[in-house]
């Protein structure tokens, strides 16, 4: 099974992730052409659209060891954790640093981009020169991140992950309906149109809620 099969729908996004993964797995095929391997990728978008799943799928497909950093500490302890994560990745290169929910690293307002947490991340990224360490990050609100952190050379690729629409939404709905005892003539396209613009998490929640309501009514099918 392809690790990217865990991502339902999002055909265009998966194609981009697979291309990045190929660079990470086979760098010499690109460097012999004079191309440099990308330094980092930021996936941003509203909560519940599957950014973390996409990131972990990329990590698994790359075959590289990964080192994850999340905001689970405060003050100097968290700054130390950031530095240690990058140091471990550098020692185990080629590797991946995964910064999950990067926009939550600092509690500062949008007008305070020089938060110590982001300055530390930038410094650690800059210290990776000539190291085979790929920096992967997710964020709900890209606007909270300083522009200097998002520039080329730190995050070469910035991809917005939006709520699924059309065919992607239909694939996700069919996935969540699989294994459920639904009525035969259920119109998946109609459900997709009704739920257009909703996140993957919302689609899953609504379908499960329908099953709960059906169970409460002692119905034979959803």
């Amino acid at each position: 099974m392809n690790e990217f099969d865990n991502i339902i729908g999002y055909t265009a996004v998966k194609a981009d992730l697979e291309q990045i993964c190929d660079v990470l797995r086979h760098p010499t095929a690109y460097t012999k052409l004079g191309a440099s391997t990308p330094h980092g990728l930021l996936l941003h978008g509203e909560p519940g659209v599957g950014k973390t799943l996409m990131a972990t799928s990329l990590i698994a497909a790359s075959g590289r060891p990964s080192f994850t950093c999340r905001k689970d500490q405060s003050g100097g302890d968290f700054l130390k954790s950031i530095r240690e994560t990058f140091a471990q990745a550098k020692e185990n290169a080629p590797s991946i640093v995964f910064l999950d929910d990067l926009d939550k690293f600092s509690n500062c307002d949008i007008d305070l981009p020089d938060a110590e947490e982001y300055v530390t991340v930038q410094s650690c990224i800059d210290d990776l020169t000539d190291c085979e360490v790929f920096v992967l990050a997710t964020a709900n609100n890209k606007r909270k991140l300083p522009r200097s952190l998002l520039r080329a050379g730190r995050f070469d690729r910035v991809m917005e992950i939006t709520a699924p629409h059309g065919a992607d939404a239909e694939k996700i709905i069919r996935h969540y309906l699989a294994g459920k005892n639904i009525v035969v003539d259920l119109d998946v396209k109609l459900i997709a149109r009704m739920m257009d613009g909703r996140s993957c998490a919302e689609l899953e929640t609504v379908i499960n809620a329908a099953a709960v309501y059906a169970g409460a009514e002692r119905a034979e099918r959803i």
Side-chain angles (χ1 to χ4, degrees), residues 142-205:
K142 187 186 72 168
R143 294 178 298 173
K144 286 193 65 176
L145 304 176
R147 292 183 181 179
S148 58
L149 180 57
L150 300 180
R151 71 164 174 79
R154 289 178 177 145
F155 287 102
D156 300 315
R157 297 286 298 275
V158 177
M159 295 169 53
E160 181 179 9
I161 310 301
T162 61
H165 297 275
D168 283 339
E170 289 179 31
K171 290 177 182 178
I172 293 170
I173 290 170
R174 291 185 190 279
H175 172 73
Y176 289 138
L177 287 173
K180 290 183 171 58
N181 193 7
I182 61 174
V183 295
V184 177
D185 58 348
L186 188 67
D187 191 339
V188 173
K189 292 182 181 293
L190 176 60
I191 297 175
R193 289 197 298 270
M194 292 171 61
M195 298 294 292
D196 187 57
R198 303 285 185 169
S199 70
C200 308
E202 287 177 293
L203 296 178
E204 181 180 16
T205 298

Side-chain angles (χ1 to χ4, degrees), residues 6-222:
N6 293 320
I7 304 170
I8 309 302
Y10 289 104
T11 304
V13 172
K14 283 197 288 187
D16 285 341
L17 294 177
E18 288 172 342
Q19 196 276 327
I20 293 171
C21 181
D22 189 63
V23 178
L24 297 178
R25 289 185 64 91
H26 309 287
T28 54
Y30 297 85
T31 55
K32 73 179 183 181
L33 299 175
S36 58
T37 57
H39 295 88
L41 165 67
L42 171 68
L43 302 173
H44 71 96
E46 65 179 79
V49 294
K51 300 183 297 296
T52 299
L53 173 62
M54 294 173 186
T56 54
S57 295
L58 174 59
I59 291 170
S62 74
R64 291 188 174 192
S66 64
F67 301 87
T68 301
C69 186
R70 295 185 179 90
K71 181 66 178 289
D72 54 6
Q73 297 169 302
S74 59
D77 288 338
F78 182 54
L79 297 178
K80 181 180 178 181
S81 178
I82 293 173
R83 296 188 189 98
E84 288 178 346
T85 301
F86 276 88
Q88 288 178 321
K90 193 172 181 179
E91 291 174 4
N92 292 274
S95 60
I96 294 176
V97 168
F98 179 31
L99 307 174
D100 199 18
D101 285 332
L102 180 58
D103 54 328
K104 296 179 182 177
F105 276 30
S106 172
N107 294 323
C108 71
D109 296 330
I110 190 171
D111 296 326
L112 298 175
D114 295 326
E116 196 170 5
E117 293 85 355
Y118 296 135
V119 172
T120 300
V121 170
Q122 289 180 181
S123 175
C124 288
I125 291 176
D126 293 345
D127 192 43
L128 296 176
T129 304
D130 299 325
C131 296
E132 289 188 80
V133 178
F134 184 75
V135 182
L136 176 61
T138 62
N140 293 333
N141 186 358
K142 187 186 72 168
R143 294 178 298 173
K144 286 193 65 176
L145 304 176
R147 292 183 181 179
S148 58
L149 180 57
L150 300 180
R151 71 164 174 79
R154 289 178 177 145
F155 287 102
D156 300 315
R157 297 286 298 275
V158 177
M159 295 169 53
E160 181 179 9
I161 310 301
T162 61
H165 297 275
D168 283 339
E170 289 179 31
K171 290 177 182 178
I172 293 170
I173 290 170
R174 291 185 190 279
H175 172 73
Y176 289 138
L177 287 173
K180 290 183 171 58
N181 193 7
I182 61 174
V183 295
V184 177
D185 58 348
L186 188 67
D187 191 339
V188 173
K189 292 182 181 293
L190 176 60
I191 297 175
R193 289 197 298 270
M194 292 171 61
M195 298 294 292
D196 187 57
R198 303 285 185 169
S199 70
C200 308
E202 287 177 293
L203 296 178
E204 181 180 16
T205 298
V206 166
I207 291 171
N208 190 67
V212 171
Y213 289 139
E217 294 293 329
R218 299 299 186 266
E220 294 296 323
R221 295 179 181 273
I222 303 170

